Each structure stands twice: as C-alpha cells, then as structure tokens.
Amino acid sequence: SAMTDGIPCKRIHCYHHPMSDHEHLQSGPLDEITANEVDIVYAGFWIRVVATIIDSVLIVLLTMPALYGIYGDQYFNPDLFVSGFWDFLISWVLPALAVIAFWVFRSATPGKIMLHLKIVDAATGKHPTMRQFIIRYLSYFVSSIPFGAGLLWVAFDERKQGWHDKLAGTVVIKK
C-alpha cells in the first residue's frame, strides 16, 4: 500500500471521471466513466472520536434547552432513564433522524464534515444506500453493548471499520 504523509493508504475500487481536474469519487453509468483505483485514506480511531465529541456537544446544545424547558429540574432525576414522551422524542428520535439525514445528504455528520471525513460504501467507494445508513445507525447499539468493543474495533481494524461499519458495509475516509 502507498504512503501519504506517513499515513498508510489503501486502495478501493471506485469510478473516477477521466476529465475531472481533481481526485474525487463519482458514480454514474459505466459507459460514461472509466474504472480506476483511487487512493483512499481511512479515518482512524482518534479523529473519529473527535468527530463524535463535536456531534455530541452539538446535540446537547440543541436538545438540552428544550428538555429543560419542558421538564425543569426534574429532567436531571437520576432515577429516570426517559422522563416522558418529549424526552424520548427529543433525546432519541430526533437525533437519530438528524444523523441519518446528514449521512444521506452529506455522507457525514457535522463533526465529520468539520474534520473532512466521509462515509462511503466499503466495496465501491460510492455513496451508501439508505438501507446501509439505517443498518449503520442501529448497529451503533450492537457496537456499544459489549463495553464499546465494536467502537474500539476501529483502532485495530486494517480498514478502520467498527462493527457498525462492517455490518453496514461502510468505511469512513478522509476527503
């Protein structure tokens, strides 16, 4: 595998438009583009942790004022996992929809966008399908349950895939 700035690069089979001025992944009918190998740098564990922290801070900044406005100090009661319907909607449903929407429209959450990361199909390097994104989101729970082992897997995997990536058939790359 090639080296770029000391970071191992792997190759992924993608389609590259021969007339473009810069390297980027494109999709389209095979008769309009030529198959080409494009160097891909997989996003490692720590940069993905930073992206997750950025996303988590944004979610808290957006949801906490609404939850506090609805529930007041009772929201911080440690005996309740979910304080009620609005808590479930604001803390679980809306963030899930927002994350999946960002993935569908930008191939990344705000944290990944800020760090120039992108989620792509592991086999083709193209934009993942809606099915892949939903599987990826739900697989976060599978990755988290055994003491976060599926998330830590990113640090040791050759393609820097967590279990959620493997189950969805995705990889996170540096743009």
Side-chain angles (χ1 to χ4, degrees):
S1 73
M3 292 291 286
T4 304
D5 297 329
I7 300 169
C9 295
K10 306 293 180 190
R11 294 203 177 266
I12 189 169
H13 292 284
C14 303
Y15 297 102
H16 174 68
H17 193 280
M19 298 301 193
S20 72
D21 292 334
H22 58 287
E23 292 284 321
H24 59 87
L25 302 176
Q26 291 193 354
S27 61
L30 288 176
D31 58 342
E32 294 179 16
I33 53 180
T34 58
N36 188 15
E37 283 192 342
V38 178
D39 281 335
I40 298 294
V41 179
Y42 297 112
F45 178 77
W46 290 111
I47 195 165
R48 290 174 68 174
V49 167
V50 172
T52 300
I53 290 169
I54 292 168
D55 292 336
S56 298
V57 168
L58 289 173
I59 288 172
V60 167
L61 289 174
L62 293 171
T63 61
M64 195 56 62
L67 291 167
Y68 188 77
I70 293 167
Y71 295 104
D73 290 335
Q74 180 185 340
Y75 179 71
F76 300 102
N77 181 346
D79 296 332
L80 299 174
F81 181 68
V82 175
S83 295
F85 170 78
W86 293 110
D87 182 19
F88 180 74
L89 181 71
I90 295 168
S91 296
W92 293 88
V93 176
L94 293 179
L97 294 174
V99 165
I100 293 171
F102 267 102
W103 288 348
V104 168
F105 294 108
R106 299 291 304 271
S107 292
T109 55
K112 284 182 177 63
I113 292 167
M114 290 173 67
L115 297 173
H116 307 285
L117 306 178
K118 181 179 181 179
I119 303 165
V120 298
D121 183 280
T124 66
K126 293 181 181 180
H127 188 77
T129 64
M130 175 67 85
R131 180 178 186 273
Q132 284 176 291
F133 285 135
I134 291 170
I135 290 170
R136 188 174 195 275
Y137 189 86
L138 295 175
S139 295
Y140 272 129
F141 297 104
V142 174
S143 296
S144 300
I145 291 172
F147 305 106
L151 301 172
L152 292 172
W153 198 260
V154 172
F156 305 103
D157 187 77
E158 181 179 321
R159 295 176 76 192
K160 304 301 180 196
Q161 289 177 294
W163 293 354
H164 54 288
D165 291 309
K166 290 185 179 295
L167 290 166
T170 59
V171 291
V172 179
I173 64 170
K174 294 182 179 182
K175 292 197 276 185

